[in-house]
Amino acid sequence: MSNRARLIGLYAVAAAVASVLLAPLLGLAYFATEHGKEELETGSISAWAEPARDAAGSLLTFAGPDRVYSTYLQAFALFFPAVLLTALLVRSRWASQSRRPGRWAWRGALTGYTLMATGAIAIGLVLVGGNPSSSIVDPLFMGLLFPGILLSTMGSSALGVGLLRSGYRPRLTAWLLALAFPLWIVGDFIVGHNGIGLVPLMLAWGATGLRLWRAGERAPAGKLVTTTRDVRA
């Protein structure tokens, strides 16, 4: 196992942990902005957001609402490439051992991951100015980030089903990928924010990242450390 593969695995683990910590704060910060406050009129959102906002305290009040939201969005954006890099690593190593690469599921997921990472980073750079209402944000969101999220979650669900059928390890990755789209729907429309809906996707590749990192201490260089047979999707 190369150092590069181990570092990608560690990055994926860090991204998974960061998503669990940052996604709720990102959602709460969004609800405090002018555009996001109306979300609190939905009962399933206010039920958790109002007590969580009180518990978060200064984590949501260290600056104005727009600056706080921009800060958490920029921090979250730093970890989106981990999903793409880990998936690319697994795909390249697995493809060399399989004659049926499940190319459409992989292509859909990887295209989504690329759009999602590009959109998140581009928006994060725009938000250096601290204004989430900037006229540039909406085109980036609708042109890159949102299509990327849709393709990522739908493609991941198709890919996850194939990975489950193929006996992929770790199984947690396969299961979370298979559930990526329905869990994103729950996170976005019931819990209230896209970022929360993407946590299962980050955790899915984080589980594979952990396996890559740990396997690096005992696997020969270049050996595939995730186990799979054939993904038909």
Side-chain angles (χ1 to χ4, degrees):
M1 177 64 60
S2 67
N3 287 334
R4 174 176 169 273
R6 294 192 68 203
L7 288 174
I8 289 175
L10 184 60
Y11 183 24
V13 172
V17 173
S19 71
V20 172
L21 298 175
L22 290 173
L25 291 172
L26 179 62
L28 292 171
Y30 176 69
F31 303 148
T33 65
E34 189 66 26
H35 291 308
K37 62 183 181 181
E38 63 185 26
E39 298 290 343
L40 293 174
E41 298 174 5
T42 302
S44 62
I45 298 174
S46 61
W48 75 270
E50 291 179 356
R53 180 176 55 192
D54 294 337
S58 60
L59 292 174
L60 298 174
T61 58
F62 60 82
D66 286 348
R67 179 67 264 175
V68 172
Y69 178 59
S70 296
T71 298
Y72 287 125
L73 183 55
Q74 288 169 312
F76 204 9
L78 293 175
F79 296 99
F80 277 65
V83 170
L84 175 61
L85 292 174
T86 307
L88 284 171
L89 178 64
V90 172
R91 174 69 178 87
S92 64
R93 291 172 176 239
W94 174 81
S96 66
Q97 300 184 12
S98 173
R99 290 176 291 183
R100 302 248 345 224
R103 58 185 179 277
W104 292 111
W106 277 108
R107 286 176 182 174
L110 290 173
T111 300
Y113 299 161
T114 301
L115 289 172
M116 185 172 66
T118 303
I121 292 173
I123 291 173
L125 291 173
V126 170
L127 292 180
V128 171
N131 182 13
S133 299
S134 168
S135 60
I136 305 176
V137 171
D138 282 346
L140 289 174
F141 179 79
M142 296 305 299
L144 290 174
L145 186 57
F146 188 66
I149 289 173
L150 287 178
L151 273 174
S152 292
T153 53
M154 290 189 292
S156 292
S157 287
L159 179 60
V161 170
L163 293 176
L164 283 171
R165 293 169 58 190
S166 73
Y168 180 89
R169 296 291 187 275
R171 298 294 280 176
L172 180 60
T173 293
W175 275 109
L176 287 176
L177 288 178
L179 295 171
F181 184 67
L183 290 178
W184 172 72
I185 293 292
V186 171
D188 188 12
F189 296 100
I190 297 179
V191 183
H193 195 269
N194 276 316
I196 297 172
L198 292 174
V199 170
L201 180 62
M202 306 290 275
L203 291 174
W205 289 112
T208 286
L210 182 61
R211 189 178 182 94
L212 288 167
W213 171 256
R214 287 179 172 175
E217 299 177 356
R218 58 183 182 274
K223 183 177 178 61
L224 180 65
V225 298
T226 49
T227 303
T228 185
R229 294 190 296 274
D230 181 21
V231 178
R232 297 176 177 87

